Amino acid sequence: MTERKPRKDAARNRAAVLAAADTLFSRCEHHEDVTMADIAAAANVGKGTLFRAFGDRIGLIRALYGARLEPIENAVDTGPPPLGPATPPLQRVPALLDAMLCFKLDNRHLALALEGTDSSSPYQADHYERWHSLLQAMLDQIPGLADSDFTAHALLAAVRADLVERLAGHEHVPREKMRAQLAGFTARVLGSRPPQGAAPHSDAEATTDNTPS
């Protein structure tokens, strides 16, 4: 029984840290404004607790990003259409990109922080490899579509956090216009027609909230 309390405390502290970091990133002007000391103070834990649990600031950002992204990942892995694996590629590809765009819009500073943490390139991050491989596999199933590797890169470039920040934060492009633009671009790349009247709807968008799990 005496060994369980530290584990419970660690789980509680981890949840408090993720919640505090989530709030700070959602309110900051720039992701670099959020420091480990700020997060520790907001979570009411010592800085040592953060470093023991997450290693460093990059580890904490990755953990928070993963917690926020989990509903989309679950929908992609085992969910129903339009994101689930049983969806035809011509419907699933635009639905996935729309879900990623909405996620980046809802988590702009956090996404910028993650894409800016790797010393080499954001293209070498684990999350990028996952989505590129998934998109490439879906594109391979579309008859007549050539060079699925490059096409997957090009489609993912349309939802990069720095581009989303440029459009939403600097050019003030409305959310629904961005979704419609992405849907039209994706349709042109795939040689299909975009959904009439609106961007493709993603069930994962409705399941995503601002509280990390």
Side-chain angles (χ1 to χ4, degrees):
M1 294 297 293
T2 57
E3 294 181 356
R4 291 183 179 179
K5 188 175 184 297
R7 286 199 291 269
K8 289 181 180 179
D9 289 345
R12 185 164 51 249
N13 287 340
R14 180 183 178 88
V17 167
L18 291 177
D22 192 51
T23 299
L24 290 173
F25 276 113
S26 68
R27 296 176 178 174
C28 69
E29 291 293 329
H30 192 277
H31 68 84
E32 291 182 353
D33 295 337
V34 181
T35 67
M36 292 290 271
D38 294 332
I39 296 170
N44 197 28
V45 300
K47 284 180 64 176
T49 299
L50 269 67
F51 288 103
R52 285 192 297 272
F54 302 100
D56 54 18
R57 185 174 183 272
I58 295 175
L60 191 156
I61 290 171
R62 286 174 176 162
L64 177 57
Y65 191 91
R68 299 291 288 116
L69 191 62
E70 188 174 3
I72 294 177
E73 291 183 322
N74 290 339
V76 168
D77 290 341
T78 59
L83 288 179
T87 312
L90 283 176
Q91 287 76 52
R92 195 181 186 204
V93 169
L96 175 60
L97 291 168
D98 181 63
M100 294 181 70
L101 172 62
C102 291
F103 178 83
K104 297 289 181 70
L105 285 168
D106 292 337
N107 301 274
R108 281 163 51 191
H109 296 301
L110 177 61
L112 279 170
L114 180 69
E115 291 186 7
T117 51
D118 289 300
S119 59
S120 53
S121 167
Y123 297 106
Q124 296 180 0
D126 291 341
H127 70 94
Y128 186 88
E129 292 294 332
R130 167 184 166 83
W131 299 124
H132 178 270
S133 296
L134 177 61
L135 273 176
Q136 184 176 0
M138 290 189 285
L139 295 171
D140 282 336
Q141 301 175 46
I142 300 177
L145 187 67
D147 201 349
S148 60
D149 176 72
F150 174 80
T151 302
H153 283 303
L155 291 172
L156 287 173
V159 293
R160 273 182 54 95
D162 51 1
L163 175 59
V164 171
E165 174 63 20
R166 175 67 191 183
L167 295 175
H170 297 274
E171 299 183 13
H172 306 293
V173 179
R175 180 188 186 96
E176 291 308 312
K177 182 176 180 180
M178 290 179 63
R179 295 180 70 193
Q181 289 172 331
L182 178 63
F185 170 70
T186 305
R188 289 191 293 273
V189 171
L190 301 182
S192 61
R193 292 183 178 181
Q196 294 183 353
H201 172 71
S202 167
D203 290 340
E205 182 187 358
T207 63
T208 304
D209 58 31
N210 290 322
T211 304
S213 57

mmCIF file of all heavy atoms in Angstrom, residues 165-207:
data_model
loop_
_atom_site.group_PDB
_atom_site.id
_atom_site.type_symbol
_atom_site.label_atom_id
_atom_site.label_comp_id
_atom_site.label_asym_id
_atom_site.label_seq_id
_atom_site.Cartn_x
_atom_site.Cartn_y
_atom_site.Cartn_z
ATOM 1 N N GLU A 165 -0.675 29.497 -38.692
ATOM 2 C CA GLU A 165 -0.488 30.708 -37.908
ATOM 3 C C GLU A 165 -0.442 31.941 -38.815
ATOM 4 O O GLU A 165 -1.008 32.985 -38.481
ATOM 5 C CB GLU A 165 0.800 30.609 -37.081
ATOM 6 C CG GLU A 165 1.175 31.871 -36.320
ATOM 7 C CD GLU A 165 0.153 32.270 -35.276
ATOM 8 O OE1 GLU A 165 -0.656 31.423 -34.861
ATOM 9 O OE2 GLU A 165 0.175 33.449 -34.863
ATOM 10 N N ARG A 166 0.216 31.819 -39.952
ATOM 11 C CA ARG A 166 0.292 32.940 -40.882
ATOM 12 C C ARG A 166 -1.101 33.335 -41.369
ATOM 13 O O ARG A 166 -1.464 34.517 -41.378
ATOM 14 C CB ARG A 166 1.171 32.569 -42.071
ATOM 15 C CG ARG A 166 1.224 33.616 -43.179
ATOM 16 C CD ARG A 166 1.920 34.863 -42.723
ATOM 17 N NE ARG A 166 1.758 35.952 -43.683
ATOM 18 C CZ ARG A 166 2.316 37.145 -43.545
ATOM 19 N NH1 ARG A 166 3.068 37.398 -42.487
ATOM 20 N NH2 ARG A 166 2.132 38.088 -44.444
ATOM 21 N N LEU A 167 -1.877 32.349 -41.765
ATOM 22 C CA LEU A 167 -3.192 32.628 -42.318
ATOM 23 C C LEU A 167 -4.175 33.103 -41.249
ATOM 24 O O LEU A 167 -4.887 34.088 -41.442
ATOM 25 C CB LEU A 167 -3.739 31.382 -43.020
ATOM 26 C CG LEU A 167 -2.974 30.915 -44.258
ATOM 27 C CD1 LEU A 167 -3.559 29.610 -44.784
ATOM 28 C CD2 LEU A 167 -2.980 31.981 -45.345
ATOM 29 N N ALA A 168 -4.193 32.398 -40.126
ATOM 30 C CA ALA A 168 -5.172 32.725 -39.083
ATOM 31 C C ALA A 168 -4.739 33.913 -38.232
ATOM 32 O O ALA A 168 -5.557 34.777 -37.894
ATOM 33 C CB ALA A 168 -5.413 31.507 -38.192
ATOM 34 N N GLY A 169 -3.441 33.964 -37.889
ATOM 35 C CA GLY A 169 -2.985 34.979 -36.957
ATOM 36 C C GLY A 169 -2.585 36.290 -37.591
ATOM 37 O O GLY A 169 -2.712 37.350 -36.960
ATOM 38 N N HIS A 170 -2.088 36.256 -38.832
ATOM 39 C CA HIS A 170 -1.580 37.466 -39.472
ATOM 40 C C HIS A 170 -2.494 37.970 -40.590
ATOM 41 O O HIS A 170 -2.698 39.172 -40.730
ATOM 42 C CB HIS A 170 -0.168 37.219 -40.023
ATOM 43 C CG HIS A 170 0.845 36.904 -38.969
ATOM 44 N ND1 HIS A 170 1.526 37.874 -38.278
ATOM 45 C CD2 HIS A 170 1.274 35.710 -38.470
ATOM 46 C CE1 HIS A 170 2.340 37.307 -37.399
ATOM 47 N NE2 HIS A 170 2.206 36.000 -37.492
ATOM 48 N N GLU A 171 -3.023 37.046 -41.374
ATOM 49 C CA GLU A 171 -3.910 37.453 -42.469
ATOM 50 C C GLU A 171 -5.378 37.406 -42.061
ATOM 51 O O GLU A 171 -6.245 37.845 -42.817
ATOM 52 C CB GLU A 171 -3.656 36.575 -43.694
ATOM 53 C CG GLU A 171 -2.225 36.692 -44.225
ATOM 54 C CD GLU A 171 -1.987 35.878 -45.479
ATOM 55 O OE1 GLU A 171 -2.976 35.415 -46.097
ATOM 56 O OE2 GLU A 171 -0.814 35.695 -45.846
ATOM 57 N N HIS A 172 -5.648 36.844 -40.888
ATOM 58 C CA HIS A 172 -7.003 36.809 -40.310
ATOM 59 C C HIS A 172 -8.014 36.147 -41.251
ATOM 60 O O HIS A 172 -9.150 36.609 -41.403
ATOM 61 C CB HIS A 172 -7.465 38.221 -39.940
ATOM 62 C CG HIS A 172 -6.515 38.948 -39.043
ATOM 63 N ND1 HIS A 172 -6.288 38.554 -37.737
ATOM 64 C CD2 HIS A 172 -5.714 40.027 -39.272
ATOM 65 C CE1 HIS A 172 -5.399 39.371 -37.178
ATOM 66 N NE2 HIS A 172 -5.030 40.260 -38.089
ATOM 67 N N VAL A 173 -7.580 35.058 -41.863
ATOM 68 C CA VAL A 173 -8.487 34.294 -42.712
ATOM 69 C C VAL A 173 -9.468 33.540 -41.805
ATOM 70 O O VAL A 173 -9.039 32.842 -40.882
ATOM 71 C CB VAL A 173 -7.718 33.286 -43.589
ATOM 72 C CG1 VAL A 173 -8.685 32.472 -44.457
ATOM 73 C CG2 VAL A 173 -6.702 34.016 -44.461
ATOM 74 N N PRO A 174 -10.770 33.669 -42.023
ATOM 75 C CA PRO A 174 -11.739 32.972 -41.168
ATOM 76 C C PRO A 174 -11.570 31.458 -41.220
ATOM 77 O O PRO A 174 -11.148 30.898 -42.239
ATOM 78 C CB PRO A 174 -13.095 33.396 -41.750
ATOM 79 C CG PRO A 174 -12.821 34.663 -42.483
ATOM 80 C CD PRO A 174 -11.428 34.526 -43.024
ATOM 81 N N ARG A 175 -11.913 30.828 -40.127
ATOM 82 C CA ARG A 175 -11.762 29.376 -39.995
ATOM 83 C C ARG A 175 -12.455 28.623 -41.132
ATOM 84 O O ARG A 175 -11.846 27.745 -41.771
ATOM 85 C CB ARG A 175 -12.338 28.932 -38.645
ATOM 86 C CG ARG A 175 -12.263 27.430 -38.356
ATOM 87 C CD ARG A 175 -13.052 27.112 -37.093
ATOM 88 N NE ARG A 175 -12.903 25.740 -36.681
ATOM 89 C CZ ARG A 175 -12.022 25.312 -35.765
ATOM 90 N NH1 ARG A 175 -11.212 26.164 -35.188
ATOM 91 N NH2 ARG A 175 -11.961 24.039 -35.433
ATOM 92 N N GLU A 176 -13.720 28.932 -41.391
ATOM 93 C CA GLU A 176 -14.457 28.174 -42.407
ATOM 94 C C GLU A 176 -13.909 28.422 -43.802
ATOM 95 O O GLU A 176 -13.968 27.539 -44.657
ATOM 96 C CB GLU A 176 -15.954 28.505 -42.338
ATOM 97 C CG GLU A 176 -16.635 27.978 -41.079
ATOM 98 C CD GLU A 176 -16.379 26.493 -40.850
ATOM 99 O OE1 GLU A 176 -16.546 25.708 -41.808
ATOM 100 O OE2 GLU A 176 -15.994 26.114 -39.731
ATOM 101 N N LYS A 177 -13.378 29.625 -44.046
ATOM 102 C CA LYS A 177 -12.758 29.881 -45.343
ATOM 103 C C LYS A 177 -11.504 29.036 -45.507
ATOM 104 O O LYS A 177 -11.258 28.480 -46.590
ATOM 105 C CB LYS A 177 -12.419 31.361 -45.496
ATOM 106 C CG LYS A 177 -11.815 31.697 -46.860
ATOM 107 C CD LYS A 177 -11.575 33.187 -47.029
ATOM 108 C CE LYS A 177 -10.976 33.482 -48.398
ATOM 109 N NZ LYS A 177 -10.730 34.950 -48.576
ATOM 110 N N MET A 178 -10.708 28.924 -44.441
ATOM 111 C CA MET A 178 -9.506 28.084 -44.498
ATOM 112 C C MET A 178 -9.872 26.632 -44.764
ATOM 113 O O MET A 178 -9.212 25.941 -45.545
ATOM 114 C CB MET A 178 -8.704 28.218 -43.202
ATOM 115 C CG MET A 178 -8.028 29.558 -43.029
ATOM 116 S SD MET A 178 -7.104 29.676 -41.470
ATOM 117 C CE MET A 178 -5.866 28.406 -41.731
ATOM 118 N N ARG A 179 -10.918 26.159 -44.119
ATOM 119 C CA ARG A 179 -11.353 24.775 -44.326
ATOM 120 C C ARG A 179 -11.817 24.561 -45.768
ATOM 121 O O ARG A 179 -11.509 23.534 -46.385
ATOM 122 C CB ARG A 179 -12.466 24.422 -43.346
ATOM 123 C CG ARG A 179 -12.031 24.422 -41.891
ATOM 124 C CD ARG A 179 -13.179 24.062 -40.960
ATOM 125 N NE ARG A 179 -13.555 22.672 -41.101
ATOM 126 C CZ ARG A 179 -14.678 22.149 -40.609
ATOM 127 N NH1 ARG A 179 -15.542 22.935 -39.972
ATOM 128 N NH2 ARG A 179 -14.938 20.875 -40.767
ATOM 129 N N ALA A 180 -12.548 25.543 -46.293
ATOM 130 C CA ALA A 180 -13.021 25.429 -47.671
ATOM 131 C C ALA A 180 -11.857 25.487 -48.654
ATOM 132 O O ALA A 180 -11.833 24.750 -49.656
ATOM 133 C CB ALA A 180 -14.027 26.535 -47.972
ATOM 134 N N GLN A 181 -10.881 26.351 -48.392
ATOM 135 C CA GLN A 181 -9.707 26.433 -49.253
ATOM 136 C C GLN A 181 -8.933 25.122 -49.249
ATOM 137 O O GLN A 181 -8.479 24.647 -50.295
ATOM 138 C CB GLN A 181 -8.807 27.584 -48.799
ATOM 139 C CG GLN A 181 -9.379 28.964 -49.074
ATOM 140 C CD GLN A 181 -8.549 30.071 -48.449
ATOM 141 O OE1 GLN A 181 -7.896 29.877 -47.416
ATOM 142 N NE2 GLN A 181 -8.561 31.243 -49.069
ATOM 143 N N LEU A 182 -8.773 24.545 -48.066
ATOM 144 C CA LEU A 182 -8.068 23.270 -47.966
ATOM 145 C C LEU A 182 -8.826 22.172 -48.692
ATOM 146 O O LEU A 182 -8.230 21.347 -49.395
ATOM 147 C CB LEU A 182 -7.863 22.888 -46.500
ATOM 148 C CG LEU A 182 -7.188 21.540 -46.248
ATOM 149 C CD1 LEU A 182 -5.778 21.524 -46.816
ATOM 150 C CD2 LEU A 182 -7.168 21.215 -44.754
ATOM 151 N N ALA A 183 -10.145 22.147 -48.535
ATOM 152 C CA ALA A 183 -10.957 21.129 -49.216
ATOM 153 C C ALA A 183 -10.826 21.254 -50.726
ATOM 154 O O ALA A 183 -10.707 20.251 -51.440
ATOM 155 C CB ALA A 183 -12.420 21.259 -48.797
ATOM 156 N N GLY A 184 -10.832 22.499 -51.235
ATOM 157 C CA GLY A 184 -10.691 22.695 -52.668
ATOM 158 C C GLY A 184 -9.321 22.286 -53.166
ATOM 159 O O GLY A 184 -9.196 21.640 -54.224
ATOM 160 N N PHE A 185 -8.285 22.646 -52.423
ATOM 161 C CA PHE A 185 -6.926 22.261 -52.800
ATOM 162 C C PHE A 185 -6.769 20.744 -52.810
ATOM 163 O O PHE A 185 -6.219 20.162 -53.751
ATOM 164 C CB PHE A 185 -5.932 22.891 -51.823
ATOM 165 C CG PHE A 185 -4.523 22.381 -51.959
ATOM 166 C CD1 PHE A 185 -3.767 22.712 -53.068
ATOM 167 C CD2 PHE A 185 -3.970 21.568 -50.981
ATOM 168 C CE1 PHE A 185 -2.458 22.240 -53.196
ATOM 169 C CE2 PHE A 185 -2.677 21.091 -51.096
ATOM 170 C CZ PHE A 185 -1.913 21.427 -52.214
ATOM 171 N N THR A 186 -7.270 20.099 -51.761
ATOM 172 C CA THR A 186 -7.165 18.643 -51.672
ATOM 173 C C THR A 186 -7.893 17.975 -52.827
ATOM 174 O O THR A 186 -7.397 17.004 -53.420
ATOM 175 C CB THR A 186 -7.724 18.144 -50.330
ATOM 176 O OG1 THR A 186 -7.063 18.812 -49.260
ATOM 177 C CG2 THR A 186 -7.532 16.646 -50.178
ATOM 178 N N ALA A 187 -9.072 18.481 -53.152
ATOM 179 C CA ALA A 187 -9.851 17.911 -54.256
ATOM 180 C C ALA A 187 -9.102 18.040 -55.575
ATOM 181 O O ALA A 187 -9.113 17.115 -56.401
ATOM 182 C CB ALA A 187 -11.211 18.589 -54.341
ATOM 183 N N ARG A 188 -8.450 19.163 -55.790
ATOM 184 C CA ARG A 188 -7.688 19.345 -57.030
ATOM 185 C C ARG A 188 -6.522 18.375 -57.094
ATOM 186 O O ARG A 188 -6.215 17.811 -58.148
ATOM 187 C CB ARG A 188 -7.200 20.787 -57.140
ATOM 188 C CG ARG A 188 -8.315 21.794 -57.411
ATOM 189 C CD ARG A 188 -7.763 23.161 -57.770
ATOM 190 N NE ARG A 188 -7.069 23.788 -56.664
ATOM 191 C CZ ARG A 188 -7.654 24.524 -55.733
ATOM 192 N NH1 ARG A 188 -8.976 24.688 -55.744
ATOM 193 N NH2 ARG A 188 -6.949 25.090 -54.767
ATOM 194 N N VAL A 189 -5.852 18.186 -55.966
ATOM 195 C CA VAL A 189 -4.726 17.247 -55.933
ATOM 196 C C VAL A 189 -5.199 15.821 -56.212
ATOM 197 O O VAL A 189 -4.562 15.068 -56.947
ATOM 198 C CB VAL A 189 -4.010 17.318 -54.572
ATOM 199 C CG1 VAL A 189 -2.982 16.193 -54.446
ATOM 200 C CG2 VAL A 189 -3.328 18.666 -54.394
ATOM 201 N N LEU A 190 -6.338 15.467 -55.622
ATOM 202 C CA LEU A 190 -6.842 14.093 -55.764
ATOM 203 C C LEU A 190 -7.630 13.899 -57.054
ATOM 204 O O LEU A 190 -7.974 12.759 -57.390
ATOM 205 C CB LEU A 190 -7.736 13.737 -54.571
ATOM 206 C CG LEU A 190 -7.092 13.808 -53.178
ATOM 207 C CD1 LEU A 190 -8.094 13.390 -52.120
ATOM 208 C CD2 LEU A 190 -5.838 12.962 -53.110
ATOM 209 N N GLY A 191 -7.949 14.985 -57.759
ATOM 210 C CA GLY A 191 -8.743 14.868 -58.973
ATOM 211 C C GLY A 191 -10.182 14.534 -58.698
ATOM 212 O O GLY A 191 -10.864 13.897 -59.496
ATOM 213 N N SER A 192 -10.690 14.994 -57.542
ATOM 214 C CA SER A 192 -12.079 14.724 -57.163
ATOM 215 C C SER A 192 -12.794 16.047 -56.945
ATOM 216 O O SER A 192 -12.203 17.123 -57.026
ATOM 217 C CB SER A 192 -12.147 13.890 -55.889
ATOM 218 O OG SER A 192 -11.543 14.579 -54.802
ATOM 219 N N ARG A 193 -14.079 15.974 -56.645
ATOM 220 C CA ARG A 193 -14.864 17.176 -56.372
ATOM 221 C C ARG A 193 -14.929 17.427 -54.873
ATOM 222 O O ARG A 193 -15.190 16.500 -54.105
ATOM 223 C CB ARG A 193 -16.289 17.020 -56.910
ATOM 224 C CG ARG A 193 -16.375 16.968 -58.431
ATOM 225 C CD ARG A 193 -17.828 16.887 -58.863
ATOM 226 N NE ARG A 193 -17.961 16.880 -60.314
ATOM 227 C CZ ARG A 193 -19.132 16.826 -60.943
ATOM 228 N NH1 ARG A 193 -20.259 16.761 -60.235
ATOM 229 N NH2 ARG A 193 -19.180 16.831 -62.256
ATOM 230 N N PRO A 194 -14.730 18.683 -54.452
ATOM 231 C CA PRO A 194 -14.881 18.987 -53.015
ATOM 232 C C PRO A 194 -16.333 18.903 -52.601
ATOM 233 O O PRO A 194 -17.235 19.040 -53.442
ATOM 234 C CB PRO A 194 -14.364 20.422 -52.909
ATOM 235 C CG PRO A 194 -14.607 21.002 -54.264
ATOM 236 C CD PRO A 194 -14.417 19.873 -55.249
ATOM 237 N N PRO A 195 -16.611 18.648 -51.328
ATOM 238 C CA PRO A 195 -17.996 18.628 -50.850
ATOM 239 C C PRO A 195 -18.682 19.954 -51.146
ATOM 240 O O PRO A 195 -18.084 21.015 -51.002
ATOM 241 C CB PRO A 195 -17.862 18.386 -49.344
ATOM 242 C CG PRO A 195 -16.510 17.791 -49.173
ATOM 243 C CD PRO A 195 -15.654 18.374 -50.261
ATOM 244 N N GLN A 196 -19.926 19.925 -51.556
ATOM 245 C CA GLN A 196 -20.651 21.136 -51.906
ATOM 246 C C GLN A 196 -21.051 21.914 -50.659
ATOM 247 O O GLN A 196 -21.597 21.370 -49.714
ATOM 248 C CB GLN A 196 -21.904 20.795 -52.720
ATOM 249 C CG GLN A 196 -21.592 20.208 -54.079
ATOM 250 C CD GLN A 196 -22.840 19.951 -54.892
ATOM 251 O OE1 GLN A 196 -23.953 20.092 -54.381
ATOM 252 N NE2 GLN A 196 -22.672 19.593 -56.143
ATOM 253 N N GLY A 197 -20.745 23.219 -50.683
ATOM 254 C CA GLY A 197 -21.243 24.111 -49.645
ATOM 255 C C GLY A 197 -20.392 24.224 -48.404
ATOM 256 O O GLY A 197 -20.524 25.172 -47.660
ATOM 257 N N ALA A 198 -19.505 23.267 -48.147
ATOM 258 C CA ALA A 198 -18.731 23.336 -46.905
ATOM 259 C C ALA A 198 -17.538 22.426 -47.008
ATOM 260 O O ALA A 198 -17.461 21.554 -47.872
ATOM 261 C CB ALA A 198 -19.584 22.927 -45.700
ATOM 262 N N ALA A 199 -16.606 22.634 -46.091
ATOM 263 C CA ALA A 199 -15.464 21.741 -45.992
ATOM 264 C C ALA A 199 -15.916 20.418 -45.424
ATOM 265 O O ALA A 199 -16.954 20.329 -44.771
ATOM 266 C CB ALA A 199 -14.397 22.368 -45.085
ATOM 267 N N PRO A 200 -15.143 19.321 -45.649
ATOM 268 C CA PRO A 200 -15.527 18.024 -45.111
ATOM 269 C C PRO A 200 -15.594 18.054 -43.601
ATOM 270 O O PRO A 200 -14.756 18.660 -42.948
ATOM 271 C CB PRO A 200 -14.409 17.090 -45.601
ATOM 272 C CG PRO A 200 -13.263 17.991 -45.908
ATOM 273 C CD PRO A 200 -13.865 19.285 -46.368
ATOM 274 N N HIS A 201 -16.622 17.429 -43.049
ATOM 275 C CA HIS A 201 -16.814 17.422 -41.596
ATOM 276 C C HIS A 201 -16.049 16.270 -40.976
ATOM 277 O O HIS A 201 -16.023 15.168 -41.504
ATOM 278 C CB HIS A 201 -18.299 17.282 -41.259
ATOM 279 C CG HIS A 201 -18.556 17.086 -39.796
ATOM 280 N ND1 HIS A 201 -18.375 18.088 -38.866
ATOM 281 C CD2 HIS A 201 -18.954 15.985 -39.110
ATOM 282 C CE1 HIS A 201 -18.670 17.619 -37.669
ATOM 283 N NE2 HIS A 201 -19.016 16.357 -37.784
ATOM 284 N N SER A 202 -15.428 16.533 -39.854
ATOM 285 C CA SER A 202 -14.692 15.507 -39.126
ATOM 286 C C SER A 202 -15.328 15.267 -37.777
ATOM 287 O O SER A 202 -15.511 16.196 -36.998
ATOM 288 C CB SER A 202 -13.227 15.946 -38.943
ATOM 289 O OG SER A 202 -12.598 15.125 -38.000
ATOM 290 N N ASP A 203 -15.673 14.017 -37.490
ATOM 291 C CA ASP A 203 -16.241 13.684 -36.192
ATOM 292 C C ASP A 203 -15.244 13.959 -35.061
ATOM 293 O O ASP A 203 -15.639 14.264 -33.945
ATOM 294 C CB ASP A 203 -16.658 12.211 -36.147
ATOM 295 C CG ASP A 203 -17.865 11.940 -37.022
ATOM 296 O OD1 ASP A 203 -18.591 12.908 -37.346
ATOM 297 O OD2 ASP A 203 -18.071 10.775 -37.403
ATOM 298 N N ALA A 204 -13.940 13.850 -35.376
ATOM 299 C CA ALA A 204 -12.958 14.055 -34.332
ATOM 300 C C ALA A 204 -12.954 15.488 -33.842
ATOM 301 O O ALA A 204 -12.615 15.760 -32.696
ATOM 302 C CB ALA A 204 -11.558 13.699 -34.846
ATOM 303 N N GLU A 205 -13.348 16.432 -34.697
ATOM 304 C CA GLU A 205 -13.372 17.833 -34.268
ATOM 305 C C GLU A 205 -14.357 18.017 -33.136
ATOM 306 O O GLU A 205 -14.115 18.750 -32.189
ATOM 307 C CB GLU A 205 -13.765 18.723 -35.452
ATOM 308 C CG GLU A 205 -13.773 20.204 -35.101
ATOM 309 C CD GLU A 205 -14.326 21.064 -36.204
ATOM 310 O OE1 GLU A 205 -14.669 20.516 -37.261
ATOM 311 O OE2 GLU A 205 -14.452 22.284 -35.990
ATOM 312 N N ALA A 206 -15.487 17.319 -33.217
ATOM 313 C CA ALA A 206 -16.493 17.459 -32.171
ATOM 314 C C ALA A 206 -16.071 16.800 -30.879
ATOM 315 O O ALA A 206 -16.517 17.175 -29.800
ATOM 316 C CB ALA A 206 -17.820 16.848 -32.654
ATOM 317 N N THR A 207 -15.169 15.816 -30.949
ATOM 318 C CA THR A 207 -14.770 15.103 -29.748
ATOM 319 C C THR A 207 -13.580 15.740 -29.059
ATOM 320 O O THR A 207 -13.229 15.373 -27.952
ATOM 321 C CB THR A 207 -14.411 13.645 -30.077
ATOM 322 O OG1 THR A 207 -13.278 13.619 -30.951
ATOM 323 C CG2 THR A 207 -15.563 12.939 -30.737
#
